[in-house]
């Protein structure tokens, strides 16, 4: 809930933020990355020395914990910086290898609480070969009684009929064969949903007795011929089933409470088909095949989970409607709103905001409670969305990879993250296309012109005292860029654009400088 976790190629987990807090509150994110550790009896893997018991192959994060699956099949559980080893009481995970684990939105109010491990709102789960889907109630990890305490014994439940493995053809009852072999599963609030190799979808109510069985979700079968399931993804109360034809069948726990309710179908769009969805509490992110990600849903208290800016600032220019004075926002538009990573585009939006404050239409969009003006906000959002897609015109050909290509998206309850591949040369070329070069003028020996043609003294935010007020924040950003392999030039570009925007804006000349606030053929409130 308060952290972002990264897995590097050496099998080491790094975390930004906090985890394992046992109470709600305004806990600040720790502004640096740290390794997640292991008990003393299990040496941590490293680039120099490989340790299969602690080299993480796959992980999943929850609201107050992290689950990790090691190369040799051990399931690790973090609620503090040092992990506990998960040992199911009734399942032999030594003989039957764990193949999946997933962590979700765990309720931290509860007292006590392997290929892939999953944590739901109240349950955690793993798939064990020849056993099936195994889940357990979350507990709050106890304080270590001594230095040898390194394990958590879990009283687990196995979903009946999910242990069938087609290649082995061991003795199976009718329930096993009717379900088929489990391909993937997710953990939602109260329910576990899974798909099988027979292209079937089942759900299991974890609040029922252990004698209950999984139920087939037939309402999600479309009329596609042939109907072929590619993947299932989801978290908390929402999930999606991907088909090989490109359609996405989305639903919520309501579809499981009312099994006849039909799903919402999202059809693929040529050249921009959705390949991944990441669900938070109330928002979700869609990653498309062209490396573009879009935000949908609702955002509470202007928390920034959309990645579209502050709801009380420039986010309404992106098509985000503010529903109340608490700053709660909603994305307006069926295809969501694309998330931008170019710092100069923020400058463009800030300039548009300033112009909007001098117009009636701009004030309709920017006022804090703008529920009555959603039609106008959507139209302005459509305009900026279209202009944003032209940002790299003349730099990136249609169908080519853009300057910012998203490789992976993730969403937590109230925040989001993305792993982005940056083509610095393309980004710079596109940036220069929007900057009007200043006329030649004399420059004193004590100053230089930065890449945008601004006057920049020798004492810059990068090498002088002006950096001091931001040193901790910048250091954290630089550390994150170092971990992701981004260059120092990328850091200078990102911060230089942002810091200069406020202090030197008047000396800048951009292609949009003389453009007025957009005048669109729309109607305000009657």
């Amino acid at each position: 809930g308060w952290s972002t976790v990264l897995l590097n190629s050496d099998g080491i987990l790094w975390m930004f933020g906090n985890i394992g807090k046992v109470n709600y509150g305004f806990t600040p994110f720790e502004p640096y990355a740290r390794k997640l550790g292991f008990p003393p009896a299990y040496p941590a893997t490293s680039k120099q020395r490989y340790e299969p018991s602690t080299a993480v192959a796959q992980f999943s994060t929850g609201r107050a914990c992290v689950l990790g699956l090691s190369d040799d099949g051990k399931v690790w559980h973090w609620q503090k910086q040092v992990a506990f080893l998960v040992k199911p009481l009734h399942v032999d995970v030594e003989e039957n290898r764990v193949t999946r684990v997933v962590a979700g939105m765990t309720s931290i109010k509860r007292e006590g609480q392997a290929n892939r491990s999953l944590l739901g709102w109240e349950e955690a789960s793993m798939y064990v070969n020849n056993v099936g889907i195994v889940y357990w109630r979350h507990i709050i990890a106890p304080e270590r009684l001594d230095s040898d305490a390194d394990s958590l014994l879990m009283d687990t439940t196995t979903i009946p009929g999910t242990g069938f493995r087609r290649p082995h053809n061991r003795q199976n009852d009718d329930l096993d064969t009717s379900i088929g072999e489990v391909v993937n599963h997710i953990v939602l609030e109260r329910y576990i949903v899974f798909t099988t190799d027979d292209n079937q979808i089942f759900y299991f109510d974890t609040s029922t007795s252990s004698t209950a069985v999984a139920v087939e979700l037939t309402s999600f079968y479309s009329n596609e011929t042939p109907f072929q399931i590619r993947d299932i993804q989801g978290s908390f109360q929402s999930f999606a089933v991907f088909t090989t034809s490109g359609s996405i069948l989305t639903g919520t726990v309501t579809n499981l409470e009312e099994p006849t309710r039909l799903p919402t179908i999202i059809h693929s769009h040529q050249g921009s088909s959705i390949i991944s969805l990441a669900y938070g509490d109330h928002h979700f992110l869609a990653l498309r095949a062209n490396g573009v990600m879009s935000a949908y849903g609702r955002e509470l208290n202007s928390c920034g989970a959309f990645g579209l800016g502050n709801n009380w600032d420039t986010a309404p220019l992106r098509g985000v409607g503010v529903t109340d004075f608490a700053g709660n926002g909603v994305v307006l538009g069926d295809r969501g709103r694309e998330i931008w990573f170019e710092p100069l585009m923020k400058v463009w939006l800030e300039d548009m905001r300033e112009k909007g404050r001098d117009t009636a239409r701009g004030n309709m969009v920017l006022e804090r409670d703008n529920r009555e003006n959603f039609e106008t906000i959507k139209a302005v959002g459509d305009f900026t969305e279209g202009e944003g897609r032209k940002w790299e015109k003349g730099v990136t050909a249609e169908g080519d990879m853009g300057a910012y290509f998203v490789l992976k998206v993730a969403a937590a309850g109230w925040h989001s993250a993305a792993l982005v591949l940056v083509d610095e040369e393309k980004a710079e070329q596109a940036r220069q296309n929007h900057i009007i070069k200043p006329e030649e003028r004399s420059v004193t020996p004590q100053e230089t012109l930065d890449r945008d043609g601004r006057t920049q003294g020798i004492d810059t935010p990068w090498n002088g005292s002006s950096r001091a007020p931001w040193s901790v924040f910048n250091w954290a950003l630089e550390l994150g860029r170092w971990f992701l392999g981004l260059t120092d030039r990328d850091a200078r570009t990102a911060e230089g654009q942002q810091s200069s925007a406020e202090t030197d804006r008047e000396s800048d000349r951009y292609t949009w400088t003389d453009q007025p606030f957009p005048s669109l053929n729309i109607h305000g409130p009657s």
Side-chain angles (χ1 to χ4, degrees):
W2 300 278
S3 65
T4 299
V5 181
L6 308 172
L7 174 63
N8 71 10
S9 58
D10 296 319
I12 301 171
L13 288 174
W14 293 78
M15 182 181 69
F16 288 90
N18 298 318
I19 199 167
K21 300 298 182 183
V22 294
N23 63 301
Y24 287 103
F26 296 99
T27 305
F29 279 22
E30 298 174 6
Y32 56 86
R34 53 178 172 160
K35 291 181 184 180
L36 295 185
F38 296 89
Y42 295 88
T45 193
S46 67
K47 185 181 290 291
Q48 292 74 30
R49 179 178 175 179
Y50 169 68
E51 297 286 348
S53 293
T54 56
V56 177
Q58 180 260 326
F59 77 100
S60 186
T61 59
R63 195 179 300 277
C65 62
V66 176
L67 283 184
L69 180 66
S70 70
D71 283 351
D72 66 356
K74 289 182 174 60
V75 177
W76 295 99
H77 178 129
W78 286 270
Q79 283 186 317
K80 294 189 176 181
Q81 191 165 351
V82 178
F84 282 92
L85 182 63
V86 175
K87 291 186 176 180
L89 281 174
H90 310 299
V91 178
D92 186 349
V93 294
E94 298 294 333
E95 180 180 349
N96 303 293
R97 187 179 178 87
V98 180
T99 60
R100 287 196 295 272
V101 293
V102 176
M105 309 300 185
T106 308
S107 173
I108 62 174
K109 285 186 176 181
R110 287 191 172 274
E111 187 71 30
Q113 254 301 139
N115 242 345
R116 173 170 166 193
S117 59
L118 301 144
L119 303 179
W121 186 252
E122 295 178 350
E123 289 80 30
S125 175
M126 57 186 168
Y127 186 84
V128 184
N129 284 347
N130 302 317
V131 177
I133 299 174
V134 177
Y135 71 93
W136 62 92
R137 296 283 178 178
H138 259 310
I139 65 169
I140 298 297
E143 296 293 333
R144 296 178 187 275
L145 301 179
D146 54 60
S147 60
D148 296 326
D150 55 23
S151 301
L152 281 175
L153 296 179
M154 296 291 193
D155 188 9
T156 61
T157 301
T158 301
I159 299 179
T162 58
F164 175 65
R165 301 289 293 174
R166 197 173 299 281
H168 302 291
N169 285 325
R170 61 185 181 85
Q171 290 184 344
N172 298 287
D173 56 28
D174 292 339
L175 178 59
D176 288 332
T177 55
S178 66
I179 288 179
E181 181 177 335
V182 174
V183 175
N184 199 2
H185 76 283
I186 58 174
V187 179
L188 306 177
E189 182 182 41
R190 182 180 160 186
Y191 295 98
I192 292 176
V193 186
F194 60 92
T195 60
T196 72
D197 62 345
D198 288 329
N199 280 311
Q200 294 174 294
I201 308 168
F202 292 86
Y203 65 96
F204 182 84
D205 188 342
T206 60
S207 67
T208 59
S209 68
S210 59
T211 59
V213 297
V215 179
E216 189 172 4
L217 187 62
T218 57
S219 61
F220 265 58
Y221 300 156
S222 71
N223 295 325
E224 297 177 5
T225 305
F227 175 71
Q228 185 74 33
I229 297 173
R230 180 168 60 86
D231 195 12
I232 184 170
Q233 301 172 9
S235 177
F236 186 26
Q237 295 183 338
S238 303
F239 67 101
V241 175
F242 291 71
T243 70
T244 54
S245 68
S247 295
I248 304 173
L249 315 173
T250 65
T252 67
V253 292
T254 304
N255 293 83
L256 309 179
E257 295 165 347
E258 304 172 14
T260 58
R261 180 188 289 261
L262 296 177
T264 300
I265 301 179
I266 302 175
H267 295 285
S268 62
H269 299 274
Q270 185 175 6
S272 60
S273 58
I274 295 175
I275 59 175
S276 177
L277 293 176
Y279 287 99
D281 280 1
H282 306 285
H283 75 290
F284 69 95
L285 306 173
L287 175 60
R288 300 181 183 273
N290 58 358
V292 173
M293 63 183 292
S294 302
Y296 298 77
R298 293 182 294 134
E299 178 185 279
L300 303 186
N301 298 341
S302 191
C303 62
F306 284 155
L308 300 174
N310 191 305
N311 292 350
W312 288 334
D313 191 25
T314 56
L317 300 174
R318 298 298 322 278
V320 175
V322 181
T323 60
D324 53 40
F325 281 94
N328 297 324
V330 58
V331 171
L332 306 175
D334 295 336
R335 293 198 61 186
R337 297 298 176 187
E338 293 182 5
I339 298 172
W340 300 334
F341 300 93
E342 168 53 50
L344 194 58
M345 298 179 82
K346 181 181 178 182
V347 176
W348 168 47
L349 290 175
E350 291 171 345
D351 284 350
M352 187 186 301
R353 174 200 61 199
E354 294 305 311
K355 295 170 184 175
R357 287 173 174 168
D358 296 329
T359 68
R361 176 166 282 110
N363 284 319
M364 289 167 58
V365 173
L366 297 168
E367 63 182 348
R368 291 209 162 185
D369 186 355
N370 52 30
R371 281 172 289 183
E372 295 182 353
N373 303 321
F374 276 9
E375 181 183 0
T376 304
I377 294 168
K378 181 180 180 301
V380 172
D382 291 343
F383 168 79
T384 54
E385 191 88 350
E387 292 298 301
R389 289 175 183 154
K390 302 175 186 176
W391 184 265
E392 295 180 20
K393 185 178 180 180
V395 175
T396 302
E398 185 175 356
D400 286 353
M401 185 183 297
Y404 299 89
F405 190 92
V406 181
L407 301 173
K408 183 76 173 179
V409 296
W414 285 29
H415 73 278
S416 306
L419 181 63
V420 185
L421 181 65
V422 181
D423 185 327
E424 296 184 31
E425 184 175 346
K426 277 189 177 180
E428 178 63 16
Q429 289 176 359
R431 192 176 298 122
Q432 292 300 324
N433 285 347
H434 295 275
I435 298 172
I436 300 175
K437 304 299 186 295
E439 295 181 357
E440 293 186 4
R441 64 182 182 87
S442 60
V443 180
T444 66
Q446 287 75 33
E447 62 183 20
T448 61
L449 290 179
D450 68 9
R451 67 175 64 211
D452 296 344
R454 299 188 183 96
T455 299
Q456 181 172 299
I458 297 301
D459 182 17
T460 69
W462 291 95
N463 60 15
S465 59
S466 59
R467 184 182 177 181
W470 297 92
S471 58
V472 174
F473 177 73
N474 288 340
W475 176 67
L477 291 180
E478 290 169 8
L479 184 60
R481 294 187 181 100
W482 163 79
F483 181 86
L484 296 176
L486 301 180
T487 66
D488 185 60
R489 177 187 170 200
D490 175 81
R492 289 197 303 272
T493 300
E495 184 173 294
Q497 293 284 355
Q498 186 171 355
S499 62
S500 301
E502 298 298 329
T503 58
D504 298 323
R505 181 75 52 79
E506 277 128 31
S507 64
D508 295 337
R509 296 289 296 174
Y510 300 108
T511 55
W512 64 78
T513 298
D514 296 326
Q515 295 176 357
F517 190 83
S519 179
L520 307 171
N521 187 21
I522 51 179
H523 301 284
S526 57

